[in-house]
Amino acid sequence: MQNNNPTKLILTLYLPVLISYVLINSPIISYFTAWFGSLFIFYTTILSPAAIINQDLPIHKQIMRPIFLLQLIFAGFMCVTSVFYFMDHLGYRYLTEINYGSQFKENEQTMLIASCQRMSLLAHAALVTGMLLVQKHNIRPKSAKTFESDDFLIWLSIIVFGIGSLTQRFPSLNQIAIPLTIVGISCAAVLFVKGVNAKNIRYLGIGASIFVINFLHASLSGYKEPIIINVIVIACVFFPYYKKLILYLAIPTAYVLLYFLPTYNNTVRQSWNGEVSAQEAQHQAFENLNSKNEEQIEETNWSFLTRRLSEIEMFTQFVDYVPEHHPYYGWEIVENSLEGLIPRFFWAGKPNMETVSMQRVYDAGVANQLSIVSAKTRPVVDAYLSWGIPGIFFFMVLYGMLVQHLSDKAEEIFGGYELGCVIMFNSIFQGLWRGNNFEFMFNNIFWGYVIMWVLFALLRTIKVLKPVFD
């Protein structure tokens, strides 16, 4: 019988945090202590005998629950990817020392990077703390599928994906369009894997068609995230059935994505200025990759790994700016975020949230106002800007509690893990995998919650789901 009291486990998570702060005067050692601290938290909460994991499903069949997927993506991006930037700072590139014969000397930037890594580790521990505090160990579904077959996923996928694709043409409806589109894609991914397992040509054809169409669209966008997210989703839905195959393919796939994707995307972005079409830019991207210009590819990739995959450099710029040159923002960012929830229909003069959120980026000198870059902050940065280190701890505990509650609630009302967690939670609230600035994240949470209940009411109304009584 598993011990469901999380107190001892939670206290264990803060051991590497404490050690990293004890070593504050040795920034390089402190950084690596904090970096390995996140790996320690991954192991302790996922693989160790002390991990508190729901027993209703084997681990490999519940990997899309927050303690697994969201933690790995959020903390992996926030904490683990910073090692490339730090190694670059130390004078290394791809584990090869560049400045032979010149001894590295610690400086103010070294201290800032170590400080940000410690705060990132604290945020990681706080995130998991929140999850463990509210995690339900016995989720009692309030609904059940009316029919034995999964045919409803076909119609749900086509209808929701279609509505989402149409509403994406209207920028003011993005907060509705994007979650709906992702729900459709997730339904398609589940149909895809069911079609493969059951050799159901209808499921396979519809699921694969929608998923492939979306993947091709993502490949023309010039952004790395849609491609990576599609790969993560398809890997996660296939993992319970083809565990060994997915594990064998994980490292080669990650290598291919990290090696080719930066160069590919940089070329596709040529279409943004309108001089060439997205298809022409894509064709040029493949030609560039086939040219075997390894030096250019490695240069582009290292720039991607150090300054785009990891955002710790931006974090250090904000820490250098606040509070020395600007006082903590207090409730200002939160108040702006709450104003952003009001539909423009009711408030014609509502400020543009993109402009509002970017202002603090410009003020800190993270990006230039004349550039077209959108260097949005992340939850940990906004929590720091608002209240410093205490703000990071308390906000991230709340963040962990929120994502765990939303996942549990989705499983409860939609009748189980597959429809509730895999499809609904991880589609509607996909923006919480990595988080965003407060203005956009609050919007995602609020409208996502509304969409979740609307979809629940729809499935109950059309008799796809029926109530379950205790």
Side-chain angles (χ1 to χ4, degrees):
M1 185 73 177
Q2 188 181 43
N3 177 19
N4 290 332
N5 184 352
T7 305
K8 186 181 293 186
L9 177 59
I10 288 173
L11 291 176
T12 304
L13 304 180
Y14 293 91
L15 182 61
V17 179
L18 179 63
I19 295 173
S20 68
Y21 274 96
V22 169
L23 298 168
I24 194 170
N25 291 324
S26 301
I28 296 177
I29 300 175
S30 181
Y31 168 86
F32 281 111
T33 302
W35 188 83
F36 279 108
S38 283
L39 303 186
F40 170 80
I41 294 176
F42 287 143
Y43 170 76
T44 305
T45 56
I46 295 175
L47 298 174
S48 79
I52 298 176
I53 297 167
N54 282 3
Q55 302 296 299
D56 58 337
L57 294 169
I59 288 179
H60 68 281
K61 291 188 176 180
Q62 56 172 312
I63 60 166
M64 293 190 79
R65 282 175 171 160
I67 196 68
F68 301 106
L69 183 62
L70 190 143
Q71 181 196 177
L72 286 168
I73 294 175
F74 191 101
F77 171 75
M78 174 180 64
C79 304
V80 179
T81 60
S82 67
V83 70
F84 299 109
Y85 179 76
F86 193 61
M87 293 303 292
D88 186 74
H89 171 73
L90 296 179
Y92 286 82
R93 176 171 294 190
Y94 296 111
L95 300 179
T96 302
E97 189 174 4
I98 299 173
N99 301 319
Y100 295 105
S102 58
Q103 187 175 5
F104 173 81
K105 294 182 180 179
E106 296 174 355
N107 53 41
E108 185 180 349
Q109 185 65 10
T110 314
M111 301 289 287
L112 277 173
I113 299 170
S115 175
C116 291
Q117 191 67 30
R118 289 191 295 269
M119 287 188 279
S120 296
L121 175 62
L122 174 64
H124 185 183
L127 172 74
V128 178
T129 297
M131 293 179 183
L132 294 173
L133 286 175
V134 301
Q135 179 178 263
K136 288 186 177 181
H137 302 288
N138 295 299
I139 300 174
R140 296 183 178 180
K142 293 184 177 179
S143 303
K145 288 192 300 183
T146 306
F147 311 103
E148 288 296 324
S149 75
D150 292 302
D151 286 359
F152 78 95
L153 286 176
I154 296 175
W155 300 109
L156 183 62
S157 178
I158 294 172
I159 293 170
V160 175
F161 182 76
I163 294 173
S165 298
L166 287 173
T167 50
Q168 275 190 339
R169 299 176 183 272
F170 305 94
S172 59
L173 296 176
N174 263 356
Q175 63 263 52
I176 297 173
I178 294 174
L180 288 178
T181 304
I182 299 172
V183 168
I185 295 165
S186 295
C187 287
V190 171
L191 280 171
F192 190 179
V193 72
K194 287 180 181 290
V196 172
N197 285 334
K199 296 181 173 60
N200 186 314
I201 301 301
R202 190 166 50 136
Y203 288 178
L204 179 60
I206 295 173
S209 296
I210 293 176
F211 192 84
V212 170
I213 288 170
N214 178 70
F215 188 85
L216 292 174
H217 177 73
S219 71
L220 295 172
S221 69
Y223 291 105
K224 62 185 180 297
E225 280 189 38
I227 297 175
I228 294 173
I229 286 172
N230 274 275
V231 172
I232 290 173
V233 169
I234 203 68
C236 286
V237 295
F238 270 91
F239 186 77
Y241 309 97
Y242 303 95
K243 182 170 61 174
K244 289 184 179 179
L245 177 63
I246 298 300
L247 289 175
Y248 290 148
L249 291 176
I251 293 178
T253 302
Y255 175 80
V256 169
L257 286 174
L258 291 176
Y259 190 76
F260 292 112
L261 194 57
T263 301
Y264 172 85
N265 273 351
N266 279 355
T267 309
V268 171
R269 288 180 181 186
Q270 293 175 3
S271 65
W272 287 5
N273 58 21
E275 293 181 6
V276 295
S277 68
Q279 289 77 12
E280 290 172 329
Q282 184 186 55
H283 178 71
Q284 180 62 47
F286 284 120
E287 285 191 355
N288 287 348
L289 293 174
N290 289 331
S291 66
K292 297 183 180 180
N293 189 348
E294 292 186 12
E295 186 176 340
Q296 179 187 347
I297 291 175
E298 288 184 1
E299 180 70 30
T300 303
N301 289 354
W302 189 246
S303 176
F304 166 75
L305 291 172
T306 56
R307 286 175 169 79
R308 286 165 55 202
L309 180 65
S310 169
E311 294 184 355
I312 195 166
E313 181 183 30
M314 183 177 73
F315 195 0
T316 63
Q317 290 172 293
F318 280 112
V319 172
D320 189 42
Y321 178 62
V322 174
E324 185 174 346
H325 303 288
H326 186 289
Y328 291 115
Y329 285 76
W331 292 97
E332 180 183 334
I333 302 175
V334 173
E335 288 170 359
N336 291 339
S337 304
L338 294 175
E339 287 180 354
L341 301 180
I342 303 171
R344 196 170 296 278
F345 177 80
F346 299 108
W347 184 11
K350 173 183 168 181
N352 183 301
M353 289 298 114
E354 174 80 17
T355 303
V356 171
S357 64
M358 285 299 293
Q359 190 56 51
R360 56 185 177 274
V361 176
Y362 298 140
D363 291 344
V366 174
N368 191 296
Q369 281 185 288
L370 298 177
S371 69
I372 60 171
V373 69
S374 179
K376 293 186 182 70
T377 52
R378 296 289 169 183
V380 177
V381 174
D382 274 351
Y384 170 80
L385 292 177
S386 297
W387 305 286
I389 294 177
I392 291 175
F393 174 76
F394 287 109
F395 178 81
M396 290 309 300
V397 169
L398 289 175
Y399 193 93
M401 294 171 71
L402 177 69
V403 295
Q404 187 64 55
H405 168 73
L406 290 172
S407 177
D408 290 346
K409 178 58 67 176
E411 288 196 41
E412 184 181 279
I413 66 175
F414 288 103
Y417 169 75
E418 184 175 85
L419 183 57
C421 180
V422 175
I423 293 177
M424 295 300 177
F425 170 74
N426 281 294
S427 300
I428 296 171
F429 300 103
Q430 193 177 95
L432 299 181
W433 283 4
R434 275 184 54 189
N436 208 327
N437 58 34
F438 280 9
E439 288 89 350
F440 285 84
M441 195 172 65
F442 280 34
N443 204 290
N444 174 214
I445 293 167
F446 177 80
W447 289 108
Y449 196 68
V450 171
I451 290 169
M452 183 174 76
W453 281 102
V454 168
L455 288 175
F456 167 70
L458 173 66
L459 294 181
R460 277 283 185 92
T461 301
I462 63 177
K463 308 298 184 184
V464 168
L465 295 177
K466 59 184 179 182
V468 172
F469 301 100
D470 293 331

